[in-house]
Amino acid sequence: MSEIKITIDGRKIKTEDGTTILEVAEKEGIYIPTLCYHPALPPQSACRICLVEVEGEKVLQPACSSKVRDKMVVHTDTKKVLEARRVSLDLIISNHPLDCMICDIAGNCELQDLAYEFGIKESEFKGRSIEYTIDDTNPFIIRDLNKCILCRRCLRACDEIQNRRVLGVTNRGFKTKIIADFDLPLQDSTCEFCGQCVAVCPVGALTPKISTGMGREWEFKKINTVCPYCGVGCRFDLNVKDEKIVKVTSNPENPVNGIALCVKGRFGFDFVNHPDRLKTPLIKKNGRFEKISWDEALNYIANKFLGIKEKEGSDAFAVLSSAKCTNEENYLLQKFTRAVLGTNNIDHCARLCHAPTVTGLVTAFGSGAMTNSIEDITTKAKAYLIIGSNTTEQHPVIGIKIRKAVREGAKLVVADPREIDITNMAMIHLKQIPGTDVALLNGLMNVIIKGDLWDKEFVEKRTEGFEKLKETVSKYEPKIVEEITGVPADDIIRAAKILANSKPASLIYSMGITQHISGHLNVLSCANLQMLLGNMGIPGGGVNPLRGQNNVQGACDLGALPNVYPGYQSVASEDNQKKFEEFWGVKLDKKPGLTVVEMMNEAEKGSIRAMYIMGENPMVSDPDVNHVRKCLESLEILVVQDIFLSETAELADIVLPAVSFAEKEGTYTNTERRVQLLGKAINPIGDSKPDWKIICELSTKMGYLMNYNSTKEIMDEIAKVTPIYGGISHERLDANGIQWPCPDKEHQGTAILHVGKFSRGLGRFTAVDHLPPEELPDEEFPFILTTGRVIYHWHTRTMTSRSSGLEKIYPESTVEINPEDAMKLNIKNGEKVGVISRRGEVEVKANVTKRTQPGVLFMTFHFAESSANILTISALDEVSKIPELKVCAVAIKKL
Amino acid sequence: MKIKSYKDLEKIRKEGLLSLYPSKLKIVVGRASCGLAAGAGETYEAIESEITNRKLDVILTKTGCLGFCQMEPLVEILEPDRPKLIYKNMTHDKVNKLIDSFIEGKIAEDLILLRIDKEKIFRENGVIENDLKKFWTNYKSDISDEVKNEINKVPLYKEIPFFKKQKKIALRNCGFINPEDIKEYIAKGGYYALYKALNEMFPDEVIEEVKNSKLRGRGGAGFPTGLKWEFTKKAKSEPKYIVCNADEGDPGAFMDRGLIEGDPHSLLEGMLIAGYAIGAKEGYIYCRAEYPLAIHRLKIAIRQAKELGLIGKNIFRTDFSFDIRIKQGAGAFVCGEETALLASIEGRRGEPRQRPPFPATSGLWEKPTNINNVKSYSYVPQIILNGAEWFSSMGTDRSKGTMVFALTGKVKYTGLVEVPIGMTIGELVNDVGGGVLTGKKFKAIQIGGPLGGCLPIEKLDTPIDYESITEAGAIMGSGGVIVVDEDTCMVEFAKFFLQFASDEGCGQCVPCRIGGERMLEILTRITEGKGKLEDLQKLEKLARVMNQGSLCALGQLTPNPVISTLRYFRDEYTTHIVDKKCPAGECEALIKLFINEEKCTGCGVCVKSCPQDAITGEKKKPHKIDQGICIKCGICKDVCKFDAIYVV
């Protein structure tokens, strides 16, 4: 960019080549009105409100898209300019209903503002308007084309931000209108209701249905905070009126997501004010819950716990922490478990999703987290291998960024047993048989090594163990791999070549890799591939596990795991034990604790007598749910702390009402290790309390004083004992947050891990062999069942089932079955069928679809009443102890 | 075979000459769209069966549009020992008669249109006008004096007023060769320019030549073609593309269609030369799907050129390779706008985008792209062969060469014409077009299509060149000329074009989308007698803002018909508004139809044709129109042979 000189309204301005007149004017404080322009979108130049006069041009030029040139002379306020702007605005108004008095968007309407500014009460050019029927058949968005000014922001957002292209334009001239697909109601179109269009609509044409009549702009308090759903960590503004969340809005300044959100983030907030919210502590008497006071409840628990501790010892306790709660709360609960209860029996649902990520990546690299940042993998990668991640549904905002990258030329290889949304964009879809990932990855490496396509310099200088890997993968010839995985050898060869020839390439995985008894091995294989290709420690590369829950990263970071203190400091190390004993002032146990499934098993056996569960729902999320029920029922005391009476809470003896993210202060750490500050939007509902306060009070009642005044103080304590969080404090966290490792107050955080050197020194190749799943199909149970999630629901549905829109759009569970299999069994699309495993049986609607391959059934685990986890097996990966949720043998029958 | 050398080209040229001028009888039917619409297909079949029935030893073939569309179907007869004779309005029912007279050795006097005894043919050193008889090896000069006299009575091509003032460069081969035979094109010097460019000139020299010729874009805007090529060549991005805009959407325009149907290779050769000059390897012809015959002939032409190696890899054994594809448009007028056209080729909705960047720097798939009109490319081979000076010697100071027009409306001769730039509009209408249809008064011409403007009788002296026409209030446009007589209401006329243009807008920018609609509403009010004088200021204000503020040329020029009619026929507007009358008697709401009792013979023809049964009366006595039922469609007036129905 070179410096140039231009003149605007007589002012001589130095600026840079390539900027627009509007950008220069804004910087200089010269006002140019706009309407179709939006800073997060490419210019459309449609409204003609920003027209200016450029000397030498025959006609007026739009400031939003016209680039400056050296010696350009611009006038923003000539008679011609003012007339053109006024007439254009007048014409828009001539075709717009003037019902501002009852319009939801009044006060936040850019057309209203301009009309006020230009003093246009009514149009000089009144004429006809086309009457459109309002599209409000879907549960999220009201689409009123009568108010549409055709600025096309919605279309550009759908195209450029969401990369979906649902919206388009039809007809010509005055009859032009915006349509979804081939002019369908949104409900019937391919729209996924991200609401990006709603966020950018300058008028009342696109509004959130749930917010209709709930208030207008000037009545709202806006609180910037972090989304409570997935691990992407999007920020948004909660719009609050009278202690009620009315609307979610987003703005381009949010660091991770900008203006983008997904359907859950934008429209799934109404659970917060749902009448089902727990408002007082409950105690179960004679099989029924009764309300009790906080004092009574905490006294009851404290007495019971102290009794058990004395009688049965510390190892009779098990605690489940929560990937939904803040870093501060997770820190406190593990402190409570270790320092007060005296055991390391603390775990949380990370065990069910990314335990192998921690074990595997620590083994290979020395650090168990996503290596790169969302920003660099979505803008700098030349190719992707997405393996076992339904990215666009489960991490939607990362998904849309990858869609954009692929549209802009990045090559995409997807390995997934199912056809998922992102496979539509893939150059190659490797459709492996569930549970054969190691073989597939070894096959890719076989081709890469044989074709001499690996990064020799990287392997030589930065890794160890290559020779062994080479030897092992040499057995995995594409033809052999084809037999194991069902993926054609040619596809394996093509995919390997694409990945090897496009550097940097980013590997992205999720639970398709981890939820196997070979989960740890799968993760090692991913690490092997990326080291082999030299894709580590560089922007656009990396091994990138996408973490599930909003704070699963933080819950792990802060030690809600049975084997490590905060910051992955091993409990088995005497140094660490000493350090924490000194800091917390108590004796600590050196023996690593039990993991989730182990706890349940021990409860059944009777060695675990008391369980404390904060914000988790194992009765839906854990494998073999019937077994889980039996285990929980055999406890002496079960305490559940939650915001709703979940399926697990129903089994509790005491239920403690906690608060939602909207009522909380503290921090979450997203999948890319970004620690972000929450904003408290409303006061706790009823008598509910923030989780951290409940822990403090219980701890204090049990004789260990916890008297923190705020979560800020807790974070200061965390920083002292957790090296990777060493430089983090609430004061330092602005809207951008900080990515750990951040060892001290001067450190700016770390966007990419392992740059120049791995955390463990050299990267370690581990040669691994294919390990078949625990339970394979047989005559009695001839199908493989694999499980997953859908975009419209979250985890065990405690929140999304209380969000009216999400529940309406996806009300019940289904089992996906390939048409070939359905035909053989005479199963029709939509009919109820029974799915049976050795562990249980569910009734569910059949969804006959080619998305799933013959021989494989797919179910989500969201729905308690027909949960896939009634069927799944609790076989564990030896190293990481993750259960094999992705593969078990089932039968399906017509009812 | 592939043409690899000059010798190969010469060989094909000679084969082409034999095909053009065979040593036996050849009958040629004009089979462009205009001919086919007039029945040339049936004529062709009729001739075919006559040949079979009468066992004649004849070559029957086809050609494109000679330009005189009104006289179609045209049939030419070429006997080795005679000049070329062209017969007019040769519908199939006249075929028998033609063949009869021919066998008798006579000329069907009532059917003959003209004769051609000299045609331009190509010699190695350039274009030569040649006596037709020289081509035939077994030329027999023993025509009887009787026949000679008869032939001499037939007007010569160049003597026909319609052709007299024309000068054909772009249309040089239309009506003279079989457009489906590349050899005939080569026989006329085709692909020699390409040979010359590739073998004797550097790309920069080609651009220099085109620049020096001062050729300006014939799509309407008149941007210097050579300069555009230079911009595209200099743009720093690869690959580069050549695009031909053949999306001719103006009502009443058929220049590009005529050219492609008559001489597709001249377009291909022009594009190839442009590709060589600019450094492109690929070209697209964007042709509207409503031109199936043009597309059919383009496909044949591309196939034949590929077969001869004139399109493809290493053309003439040089490093230059080029491919040409056809992209069919789906009928959106706005796709004639270059950025909309590119969007359409890319598979997006055909919509313009704000320029700059211009396609020369960021065009197809954001790569440098040269877009020219069909005619612009067709001039290029002639410029390369004959030199820049030859081309720039024609025309005015700033506009050079010739201009192709589609002449239509209330004019005596309609058709496709090519005249030297600088000729006045009066000459075009009166000399070439033969003046207004008999009995009516000339009122105006609409020049430049629906986005052009209306010029009144006082402007007939305006010379046809880009600047003069713009100054007069119209635009050169792509070349549609519609002649209007006194029966046309200028408000209604402006409304017609405005309706067309605003219906065809892409709907992006506000001034065009809503402004066009509001102008139309005002015009409709005026034609219904509900207008107010202040409406005229509103029209002018909207027109100003549309012109200044619209995103693309379509929106900017849409108000042109209104502005030019307001400029030259303002009193017609005020009459509609103040007196509630339509002087031309066209605006239904403002007129009443009456029967002149003295002229009416009571024949009853009007009674039968009235769709509303509004006319009653006894046979052979004057009839009456019931004003309450009459919808003022005017059919009665049109069918009355006694001129007894009048408008008030």
Side-chain angles (χ1 to χ4, degrees), chain A residues 561-577:
Chain A
L561 297 170
N563 58 336
V564 288
Y565 291 118
Y568 305 99
Q569 304 174 79
S570 169
V571 297
S573 143
E574 256 170 52
D575 288 350
N576 294 336
Q577 187 188 1

Side-chain angles (χ1 to χ4, degrees), chain A residues 357-548:
Chain A
T357 293
V358 178
T359 60
L361 296 187
V362 165
T363 307
F365 307 144
S367 171
M370 177 166 165
T371 61
N372 285 51
S373 295
I374 296 168
E375 162 74 17
D376 80 72
I377 61 169
T378 55
T379 56
K380 306 232 162 58
K382 293 219 175 69
Y384 295 94
L385 172 61
I386 297 183
I387 180 162
S389 159
N390 185 356
T391 320
T392 48
E393 287 205 66
Q394 303 323 329
H395 299 87
V397 171
I398 294 179
I400 63 178
K401 288 177 185 222
I402 291 174
R403 283 209 283 245
K404 189 175 180 72
V406 172
R407 264 178 52 181
E408 286 172 2
K411 297 181 170 112
L412 176 65
V413 177
V414 179
D416 202 291
R418 281 168 79 219
E419 274 171 30
I420 48 177
D421 174 67
I422 195 86
T423 54
N424 294 332
M425 289 188 96
M427 284 178 91
I428 305 179
H429 175 196
L430 308 169
K431 218 188 229 180
Q432 79 274 42
I433 295 164
T436 61
D437 303 271
V438 167
L440 182 63
L441 289 161
N442 277 350
L444 293 173
M445 288 187 270
N446 177 292
V447 178
I448 290 163
I449 292 175
K450 221 161 128 199
D452 211 21
L453 300 169
W454 45 293
D455 187 334
K456 288 164 206 85
E457 198 189 331
F458 185 91
V459 169
E460 190 184 317
K461 287 192 178 149
R462 298 213 30 206
T463 67
E464 58 187 3
F466 173 68
E467 285 309 318
K468 188 85 200 3
L469 175 84
K470 192 175 165 186
E471 193 191 315
T472 301
V473 302
S474 69
K475 295 182 289 184
Y476 290 84
E477 290 287 338
K479 270 284 161 209
I480 293 163
V481 175
E482 177 173 337
E483 275 168 35
I484 304 171
T485 62
V487 178
D490 279 353
D491 284 356
I492 295 168
I493 295 166
R494 272 172 60 216
K497 284 184 179 163
I498 288 170
L499 295 170
N501 293 325
S502 327
K503 201 170 176 181
S506 192
L507 187 149
I508 290 168
Y509 74 80
S510 200
M511 267 151 270
I513 279 292
T514 56
Q515 291 178 333
H516 295 279
I517 58 164
S518 61
H520 178 72
L521 306 180
N522 290 346
V523 172
L524 289 174
S525 285
C526 292
N528 288 343
L529 175 68
Q530 285 296 69
M531 287 192 287
L532 188 65
L533 292 171
N535 278 324
M536 296 307 299
I538 53 171
V543 174
N544 299 290
L546 302 183
R547 307 301 302 257

Side-chain angles (χ1 to χ4, degrees), chain A residues 44-46 48 58-60 62 80 83 88 91 94 124-125 127-128 149-150 152 169 171-173 176, chain B residues 334 349-351 354 502-503 505 507-511 513-514 517-518 521 538 541 544 547-551:
Chain A
Q44 184 77 39
S45 321
R48 318 309 277 185
K58 274 190 275 184
V59 293
L60 300 172
K80 216 166 143 188
E83 182 185 56
S88 291
L91 287 170
S94 80
E124 187 187 342
F125 305 105
R128 75 175 179 131
I149 58 166
L150 287 162
R152 302 198 186 187
V169 181
N171 297 343
R172 295 204 170 257
T176 303
Chain B
V334 74
R349 174 178 158 95
E351 280 186 344
Q354 187 73 36
S502 67
D503 277 355
Q508 253 181 119
C509 75
V510 168
R513 182 181 78 241
I514 312 178
E517 169 72 14
R518 297 296 176 243
E521 286 166 359
K538 279 191 184 175
K541 190 173 184 178
R544 252 193 330 266
N547 176 261
Q548 277 297 310
S550 292
L551 192 152

Side-chain angles (χ1 to χ4, degrees), chain A residues 719-766:
Chain A
K720 282 183 196 145
V721 292
T722 315
I724 53 173
Y725 279 64
I728 292 174
S729 68
H730 285 195
E731 288 86 352
R732 274 194 79 192
L733 294 173
D734 57 14
N736 281 318
I738 296 177
Q739 284 175 279
W740 67 258
C742 173
D744 56 60
K745 293 270 182 264
E746 272 67 52
H747 198 282
Q748 294 304 303
T750 310
I752 303 175
L753 300 179
H754 318 302
V755 178
K757 187 174 175 244
F758 284 99
S759 301
R760 69 181 293 276
L762 289 178
R764 178 167 147 193
F765 284 109
T766 312

